[in-house]
Amino acid sequence: MFRAPGRVNLIGDHTDYTGGLVLPMAIDRYTTIEAVPQTSAIDLASTSDVSPVHLALPVTSPENVSPPWGRYVAGVAAELGNDCRGFRGTVSTTLPIGSGLSSSAALEVAVALACGAPHEPLALAQLCQRAEQRATGVPCGIMDQLTSVAGVKDHALLIDCHTLEISPVAIPSSTRIIVKFIAHRRLASSAYGQRVNECATAERLIGPLRSASLRDVDSIADDVILRRARHVVSENERVRQACAALRASDLARFGALMVESHASLRDDYEVSTPEMDAAVEAALEIPGVYGARLTGGGFGGCIVILASMDAQITVDETTSWEVRAVDGALSALR
Ligand code: GLA
């Protein structure tokens, strides 16, 4: 049995692919593969899709595999090449699929473990990141896969996506973290790739965004590129301040930074939607809510809410969930 969790990002979105800072946590929703070894092929059924995946090993063209969910499996197998072990089994998940809680990263990590990938956290996460990029064509960063692999129970992970150093930050036990589903989305058909390109343009003008200042950003003539860069530079600073607030158990400050992050993702980075904005506004009306923001890539997906224990928020387990920080797939094996 191989199991990997999804993730929610508390703050620091669209910063990982320019080597910035993120603060996600692995959540107590998992993708699980039950499998027996076999030679030369992967045969995987899914409790979420009627079509099973059959892959002869070695896999060379993951992007053309059918059914589409099999592309994540094939991406991992292709990355492992001749080292990929075959298996036959079933995958199931307690994560909502395609909802911005990293169901795809959890699938990749569970598959990689089932395929016999080495248990070195960073190498495993990077292999799964490359698998996702090959499977979907989306130039995603490392946050989702690294969190699923290396999560730490009761902690968020401050990840420096340049040095890839991970610093766990304890989440005060008196907090509720609630995730609310807004809309299905696929990053492949979104402007995610365009945002990655816009950041690359900004970096050609002012150098690495992870070390740029807001003064540097102000020298950019193009208004769109300026706003994209301003989001990234200010978001990195918000992550730094959010970590300090968490370490000081200053949840009001943490919540205020979440709200600023949402505004920046909405106005400067333009990855929010009217539904996500309305859901954040509605959450902020509830007494006991410290903060709320979109989480992950945006264009749909989920919002995350940080609240006190007595906040009047009910979850229905279908469109909203209360989540806890858990160990990642490898941390749990140790
Ligand atoms: C998606 C990507 C991540 C990250 C987020 C935005 O989840 O897979 O690498 O870029 O969007 O923070």
Side-chain angles (χ1 to χ4, degrees):
M1 191 144 107
F2 306 94
R3 187 173 93 149
R7 68 95 188 92
V8 67
N9 190 18
L10 297 179
I11 193 163
D13 271 309
H14 288 279
T15 49
D16 60 350
Y17 47 81
T18 48
L21 304 175
V22 295
L23 191 66
M25 61 186 225
I27 58 173
D28 52 345
R29 298 287 182 283
Y30 300 89
T31 293
T32 307
I33 294 178
E34 286 187 58
V36 292
Q38 67 177 9
T39 50
S40 314
I42 293 174
D43 285 287
L44 189 58
S46 166
T47 56
S48 309
D49 194 303
V50 286
S51 305
V53 171
H54 171 77
L55 300 167
L57 297 177
V59 172
T60 50
S61 301
E63 60 284 353
N64 299 323
V65 163
S66 184
W69 72 270
R71 290 174 198 162
Y72 298 104
V73 184
V76 171
E79 281 299 321
L80 282 165
N82 290 327
D83 295 328
C84 184
R85 290 207 303 248
F87 65 87
R88 170 165 48 85
T90 301
V91 60
S92 60
T93 190
T94 54
L95 278 161
I97 296 174
S99 304
L101 297 180
S102 293
S103 55
S104 59
L107 175 61
E108 290 146 13
V109 173
V111 168
L113 294 175
C115 290
H119 285 191
E120 200 283 305
L122 189 55
L124 178 62
Q126 287 172 325
L127 182 143
C128 292
Q129 178 193 16
R130 293 194 301 273
E132 168 116 17
Q133 292 176 342
R134 277 178 84 166
T136 62
V138 176
C140 68
I142 189 76
M143 171 171 69
D144 305 349
Q145 291 80 9
L146 194 51
T147 309
S148 180
V149 166
V152 177
K153 186 175 186 298
D154 299 331
H155 290 68
L157 305 181
L158 169 62
I159 306 175
D160 180 324
C161 297
H162 179 60
T163 62
L164 296 171
E165 191 189 339
I166 303 175
S167 316
V169 184
I171 299 172
S173 56
S174 58
T175 18
R176 294 176 70 195
I177 296 170
I178 291 132
V179 176
K180 196 167 166 14
F181 171 74
I182 308 298
H184 284 287
R185 63 110 182 85
R186 287 181 61 234
L187 286 183
S189 50
S190 77
Y192 187 98
Q194 191 185 336
R195 293 293 176 277
V196 173
N197 289 336
E198 287 162 347
C199 284
T201 302
E203 295 201 315
R204 278 194 294 275
L205 296 169
I206 63 170
L209 289 177
R210 66 174 181 278
S211 48
S213 68
L214 286 174
R215 270 189 68 175
D216 299 329
V217 170
D218 276 338
S219 71
I220 299 175
D222 184 298
D223 176 61
V224 171
I225 303 299
L226 182 149
R227 286 188 289 118
R228 305 302 188 242
R230 186 165 61 197
H231 165 70
V232 175
V233 171
S234 63
E235 186 81 346
N236 284 332
E237 181 55 27
R238 280 186 290 272
V239 175
R240 274 186 210 100
Q241 294 186 14
C243 282
L246 206 53
R247 289 188 176 117
S249 293
D250 188 347
L251 298 171
R253 174 73 187 134
F254 194 98
L257 289 160
M258 290 174 80
V259 175
E260 283 177 30
S261 168
H262 183 82
S264 179
L265 287 159
R266 178 190 64 207
D267 301 336
D268 276 351
Y269 220 65
E270 297 184 272
V271 293
S272 189
T273 64
E275 292 75 19
M276 300 186 100
D277 298 342
V280 166
E281 291 300 320
L284 295 176
E285 296 290 314
I286 303 170
V289 166
Y290 298 115
R293 59 186 288 280
L294 73 80
T295 181
F299 308 107
C302 287
I303 66 162
V304 58
I305 301 166
L306 186 76
S308 64
M309 298 307 273
D310 51 9
Q312 290 294 314
I313 306 179
T314 47
V315 294
D316 62 17
E317 296 288 323
T318 315
T319 60
S320 53
W321 304 267
E322 181 153 354
V323 293
R324 286 185 310 114
V326 297
D327 281 334
L330 280 189
S331 333
L333 289 179
R334 262 184 237 120

